[in-house]
Amino acid sequence: YVVLTTKHHEGFCLWPSKYSWNWNAMDVGPNRDLVGELASAVREKSGLKFGTYHSLYEFFNPLYLQDKKNQYRTQNFIAEKTMPELYELVNRYKPDIVWSDGDWEATSKYWNSTEFIAWLYNDSPVKDTVVTNDRWGNDTRCKHGGYWTCHDYYNPGLIQQHKFEDSTIMDKYGWSFRKALSFSDVHTMDELTDLLAEVVSCGGNLILNVGPTKEGTIVPIFEERLRQMGGWLGVNGEAIYATRPWISANDTVTPRIWYTAKRESQKTSVYAIMLDWPAKDTLTLGLPQPGNDTVISMLGYGEPIFYSQDTMGYLVIQLPVVPLHKMPCQWAWVFKMEGLVNQ
C-alpha cells in the first residue's frame, strides 16, 4: 500500500479542499489535485492499495490555538476545519487506509474521533474495506485501532497479538527531504532487509517514508533503494506477503534468523530469513523439526537443498555453492521449509 501525506501539521492540503481556502495545492503552488492524481496512479497498479495520511492538528491555526487556550473545552477547530475536511477526503477519494496523526495534544473526545470512526465503519463509502491506525487522541495509541503504530519507529522485537506497523524513514535524520542529505544518512539495503524481516516476523508491517523534493521528485538514492527493495521482494516476497508469525519470531541457536509462516491448502510453509551468509558451509537452526516428508528450498534458487540433523536434534542445512550469476539476491536469503513436524 502507498500512503500520501495529504495534510501535515502546517495544514496545507494536497487536494482542493473547500475547508482550506487558498491553502491547498490547487489554489497555490502546483495548481493540481495531487491526492487525486496519486490515488489514480496507485490504483492502476494491480494489488496496490491507496491510503491517506491526515494530521488532525495544525500548529498555527488560530481556531486550534483558541481551542487549546480554552483547555479544549471548545471544539471550533474540529467543527469548522479538521473534521469536515477529513469527511471530504474520505468521500472524495475513498481511501483504503485512513492514517491519522497529530493527535497527541488532546484526547479523542476533543477530536471527536469516535463519531468519525463510527461513520467510517458503518456509513462511509469505504465502510467494508477501510483500515485505520491508532492515532485518534492521546488516549488511543496502542489501545484502539485497526492496527497499532504506537509511536514512530515502533518495533517491539517480539511477536505481537495485535497487528502493528513500524513507520520509519529512508533518511535516518528526517521525514521530509533535506538538502543537506548525504550518502551515509540513507539506510542501506542490509539495514532495510534486516528491519523488514524483524518487523514481519513479529506480526507487523513496515511503512517506509520517502520525502520528495519541493518539485515532487524522488531523489536517485531513494529511488535506488525502492527499486532494490522491489527486486528483493520479487525474489523473496513469498516469505513476506500474506504471512503470519510462526511459533517464534527468531531462532534459538543461530542469531539473525527470522521466521514467518504461511498456511495454504491444509499445509504450512515456514520461511527462515537468513540475514547473513555464514562463513562455513552449513546453517544450523534450533527450532524447525524435520520429518520424513520435509522439503527445503531456497527462494529464487532452483537447485535442491540438502539437510540433516545433528546430535542435538538441530536442523543443519547444507548451504549450496552458488555462482555469483546465480545468486538469487544480494542481501538476505530465504529458506522455505515444507512438511516440518512442528509446522
Side-chain angles (χ1 to χ4, degrees):
Y1 51 92
V2 176
V3 178
L4 174 66
T5 301
T6 64
K7 187 195 80 170
H8 205 242
H9 308 324
E10 82 295 322
F12 188 84
C13 296
L14 297 189
W15 78 98
S17 176
K18 64 182 179 181
Y19 302 102
S20 190
W21 178 82
N22 212 36
W23 193 232
N24 66 74
M26 183 63 78
D27 291 344
V28 295
N31 302 123
R32 291 162 61 181
D33 178 4
L34 299 178
V35 178
E37 289 183 33
L38 187 63
S40 297
V42 168
R43 286 167 173 153
E44 286 176 2
K45 300 294 183 180
S46 176
L48 274 182
K49 302 294 185 181
F50 179 68
T52 52
Y53 168 108
H54 175 270
S55 173
L56 292 173
Y57 103 126
E58 299 173 15
F59 57 78
F60 61 72
N61 189 299
L63 291 174
Y64 176 73
L65 294 177
Q66 187 60 51
D67 284 350
K68 185 176 180 180
K69 185 178 180 180
N70 294 338
Q71 298 182 335
Y72 300 110
R73 288 190 293 266
T74 57
Q75 293 178 296
N76 294 323
F77 175 69
I78 306 301
E80 298 180 35
K81 181 62 165 67
T82 201
M83 274 302 164
E85 71 186 9
L86 191 49
Y87 282 96
E88 178 187 59
L89 194 63
V90 172
N91 281 317
R92 185 165 184 165
Y93 302 105
K94 301 175 178 57
D96 301 295
I97 300 166
V98 177
W99 213 107
S100 183
D101 196 19
D103 60 312
W104 59 84
E105 290 194 349
T107 67
S108 57
K109 183 178 181 180
Y110 167 73
W111 297 117
N112 215 6
S113 298
T114 51
E115 182 176 319
F116 170 77
I117 293 173
W119 169 81
L120 186 68
Y121 280 114
N122 290 281
D123 300 307
S124 79
V126 292
K127 60 184 177 66
D128 296 323
T129 55
V130 73
V131 178
T132 61
N133 67 342
D134 57 347
R135 300 187 181 188
W136 297 98
N138 58 21
D139 54 342
T140 67
R141 293 193 183 200
C142 266
K143 295 179 181 178
H144 304 288
Y147 63 92
W148 293 349
T149 60
C150 299
H151 54 75
D152 295 341
Y153 323 113
Y154 180 63
N155 179 14
L158 299 170
I159 292 177
Q160 302 297 298
Q161 298 305 311
H162 193 92
K163 191 69 177 179
F164 73 94
E165 180 189 73
D166 181 349
S167 54
T168 195
I169 46 182
M170 185 84 78
D171 171 5
K172 299 174 186 177
Y173 304 106
W175 292 87
S176 57
F177 174 71
R178 297 183 302 120
K179 286 185 177 180
L181 179 74
S182 65
F183 182 83
S184 61
D185 294 339
V186 181
H187 280 294
T188 66
M189 267 300 292
D190 282 313
E191 291 169 335
L192 293 176
T193 49
D194 287 7
L195 181 60
L196 178 65
E198 180 176 352
V199 168
V200 174
S201 295
C202 294
N205 289 357
L206 176 67
I207 188 165
L208 186 60
N209 178 83
V210 177
T213 67
K214 63 181 181 180
E215 293 82 15
T217 60
I218 304 298
V219 293
I221 193 168
F222 289 170
E223 179 184 350
E224 180 185 52
R225 288 293 182 274
L226 292 173
R227 291 187 182 278
Q228 289 170 333
M229 182 65 80
W232 189 88
L233 287 167
V235 174
N236 301 295
E238 180 183 338
I240 301 297
Y241 297 120
T243 60
R244 298 290 185 270
W246 192 42
I247 57 177
S248 176
N250 54 342
D251 196 59
T252 54
V253 171
T254 301
R256 292 174 57 75
I257 301 288
W258 296 92
Y259 292 111
T260 61
K262 182 183 297 181
R263 185 167 180 79
E264 295 177 314
S265 303
Q266 304 304 311
K267 66 177 183 179
T268 298
S269 298
V270 177
Y271 302 90
I273 305 174
M274 181 178 69
L275 300 181
D276 303 308
W277 193 279
K280 55 184 181 179
D281 60 359
T282 59
L283 172 67
T284 301
L285 300 178
L287 280 176
Q289 298 175 14
N292 295 331
D293 299 323
T294 299
V295 176
I296 299 178
S297 58
M298 185 167 72
L299 298 186
Y301 181 70
E303 302 299 324
I305 299 295
F306 300 98
Y307 66 91
S308 60
Q309 281 183 286
D310 64 13
T311 56
M312 298 290 291
Y314 297 149
L315 174 64
V316 180
I317 296 175
Q318 186 71 40
L319 295 176
V321 179
V322 186
L324 185 62
H325 70 282
K326 288 189 176 182
M327 186 64 76
C329 51
Q330 293 178 247
W331 297 282
W333 302 265
V334 179
F335 290 98
K336 178 180 181 180
M337 298 172 285
E338 303 172 275
L340 292 176
V341 173
N342 60 339
Q343 63 179 7

